[in-house]
Amino acid sequence: MISAADDSTLIHLLKKSDENALRVLLSRYIEPLTRFAHSVVGSLDVAEEIVQRVVVRLWENRANLDTERSIKAYLYRAVKNEGLKEYRSNRVRSTYIKTVQLESSLDEQSKGFRSAENDSLTRLAIAEAIENLSERRMIAVRLRYESDMSYQEMGEIMGISPAAAMQLTLRALDDLRVLIEV
């Protein structure tokens, strides 16, 4: 049964242009990849486009896939790279939108909606602080806490050791504490 095949088997089948292998890989990874891309770029529509580009590139380059490497790491790395390109190109626009949202939240808070708005404001402050991290630290936080990945998986995706992924995440958390307290 192809749906029960492991990723390594699916890569071998994909290299032979097996469309069912692609369908199985997509059924496994499309949702988490889209969530991850969304966390990087902040737009579900853009995230879906990014994942679609990655899938098309995977299919076009299927003959060159390395059967010894993790397909999950390959897909996440490709989505990360595409997402960062998009993120860099839209950072100014995103910052403006978040500023408007923050101002709106502050206006609502001043009208007396304290508890719910405080939660909203806190989430917004955390999101803004994550945006202000370096790209590598932002990706580390998103992989660890939004995509719920191990340091091993993070290392594969980011091209670093698991220990370096852990250190990067810890430094990012230290930065977040400072950014949120300010």
Side-chain angles (χ1 to χ4, degrees):
M1 191 104 210
I2 193 169
S3 63
D6 65 3
D7 285 357
S8 179
T9 302
L10 292 173
I11 293 172
H12 286 302
L13 292 171
L14 194 60
K15 286 183 77 147
K16 295 177 183 177
S17 301
D18 187 323
E19 291 180 13
N20 287 329
L22 181 64
R23 283 188 194 93
V24 172
L25 281 171
L26 290 177
S27 71
R28 284 185 191 168
Y29 294 114
I30 195 87
E31 287 182 34
L33 287 170
T34 302
R35 278 193 307 272
F36 175 60
H38 183 232
S39 75
V40 173
V41 297
S43 164
L44 185 56
D45 290 336
V46 174
E48 289 171 346
E49 289 174 19
I50 287 169
V51 172
Q52 183 178 19
R53 285 194 304 258
V54 167
V55 169
V56 167
R57 198 167 52 243
L58 172 71
W59 182 252
E60 289 172 347
N61 297 317
R62 65 191 175 276
N64 301 323
L65 288 174
D66 184 350
T67 57
E68 301 302 314
R69 297 231 157 188
S70 163
I71 190 69
K72 180 178 180 180
Y74 169 85
L75 291 169
Y76 270 90
R77 186 174 308 133
V79 167
K80 176 197 78 159
N81 291 338
E82 285 291 318
L84 285 176
K85 279 192 251 178
E86 188 71 34
Y87 172 78
R88 287 180 196 122
S89 70
N90 291 322
R91 193 170 195 170
V92 171
R93 183 176 50 135
S94 175
T95 301
Y96 173 76
I97 290 169
K98 287 183 178 168
T99 301
V100 169
Q101 289 172 338
L102 180 60
E103 288 171 356
S104 174
S105 291
L106 289 173
D107 288 344
E108 290 297 317
Q109 186 179 12
S110 68
K111 293 178 183 174
F113 299 104
R114 294 242 182 252
S115 67
E117 286 303 314
N118 281 341
D119 290 345
S120 176
L121 193 57
T122 300
R123 282 192 298 275
L124 195 56
I126 292 169
E128 185 71 25
I130 291 171
E131 292 288 325
N132 288 320
L133 293 172
S134 70
E135 288 177 357
R136 286 174 47 89
R137 289 182 183 182
M138 176 188 71
I139 293 298
V141 167
R142 295 210 162 134
L143 287 173
R144 181 72 177 160
Y145 298 105
E146 292 176 12
S147 296
D148 199 30
M149 291 195 177
S150 69
Y151 294 121
Q152 177 72 36
E153 291 171 314
M154 290 171 59
E156 289 176 17
I157 290 165
M158 298 182 77
I160 58 178
S161 71
M166 183 176 78
Q167 285 302 313
L168 190 60
T169 304
L170 293 174
R171 288 185 182 125
L173 292 175
D174 288 341
D175 289 351
L176 286 174
R177 286 184 195 99
V178 169
L179 289 169
I180 292 171
E181 289 177 359
V182 171

